[in-house]
Amino acid sequence: MAKNILVAVFSASGVTKRVGEEIARTCGGDFFEIVPKDKYTSQDLDWTNKKSRSSVEMNDPSARPMLADGVENMDSYDTVIIGFPIWWGIAPRIIETFLESYDFKGKKIIPFCTSGGSGVGRSDTALHKNVSGDVQWAKGIQINRPNEKDIRNWLERVM
């Protein structure tokens, strides 16, 4: 497996975080949780309410929720595995904030998602617009459970 791996995830319910922690453990990478400066409440995450924070953000392509913290020494990583839940068929806007906050030139980005209802869809390729320069993208995959065997098999294919 590659060296100097960062596994960065945004998780609203804890599912993506558990998967990301297992990925980091399996590949020997560092784990970083992408946390919004203003944490989401259950009301914020009510996708059935068109006025909820998540609904408003996802309906505004320019929305960029602020991050609570940043990755130290991003330059030291060769590979960034980025995880997120699927919201409205794509990655949450905070993933765009994260990607636009760093220079990924020369890095490999490997996206994965968790979802209760839909697959990867266009969520991984939609993120390409948020990163400029010479970046190698792996095809995204949906991983809903922190199953070490499945994760190891996937990592062997994408690394």
Side-chain angles (χ1 to χ4, degrees), residues 14-36:
V15 173
T16 310
K17 181 179 181 181
R18 286 189 293 278
V19 173
E21 288 171 335
E22 182 61 27
I23 291 170
R25 191 190 69 71
T26 301
C27 72
D30 294 334
F31 179 82
F32 177 80
E33 185 172 6
I34 300 167
V35 177

Side-chain angles (χ1 to χ4, degrees), residues 115-148:
S115 175
S118 59
V120 174
R122 61 184 179 89
S123 67
D124 63 337
T125 55
L127 295 174
H128 294 200
K129 72 184 182 320
N130 301 99
V131 177
S132 60
D134 179 29
V135 175
Q136 181 184 357
W137 284 91
K139 182 168 174 30
I141 189 172
Q142 180 179 342
I143 306 174
N144 283 334
R145 293 187 337 266
N147 179 296
E148 180 183 355

Side-chain angles (χ1 to χ4, degrees), residues 49-61 63 88:
N49 177 353
K50 292 183 189 289
K51 294 183 179 180
S52 74
R53 178 176 162 200
S54 59
S55 295
V56 169
E57 286 176 3
M58 295 310 292
N59 285 312
D60 179 1
W88 288 258

Side-chain angles (χ1 to χ4, degrees), residues 22 26 146-154:
E22 182 61 27
T26 301
N147 179 296
E148 180 183 355
K149 181 181 176 196
D150 293 345
I151 288 170
R152 188 171 301 284
N153 289 338
W154 167 67

Side-chain angles (χ1 to χ4, degrees), residues 3 8 72-73 95 113 118 140 142 151:
K3 294 185 177 174
E72 291 185 24
N73 303 321
I95 296 298
C113 70
S118 59
Q142 180 179 342
I151 288 170

Side-chain angles (χ1 to χ4, degrees), residues 75-121:
D75 292 346
S76 68
Y77 296 104
D78 302 316
T79 301
V80 179
I81 299 172
I82 187 158
F84 49 88
I86 295 293
W87 286 8
W88 288 258
I90 57 175
R93 299 288 179 213
I94 195 163
I95 296 298
E96 294 178 285
T97 304
F98 179 81
L99 290 172
E100 292 170 357
S101 297
Y102 300 98
D103 180 1
F104 290 94
K105 183 179 179 185
K107 298 184 187 309
K108 182 173 191 173
I109 300 176
I110 305 171
F112 79 91
C113 70
T114 58
S115 175
S118 59
V120 174

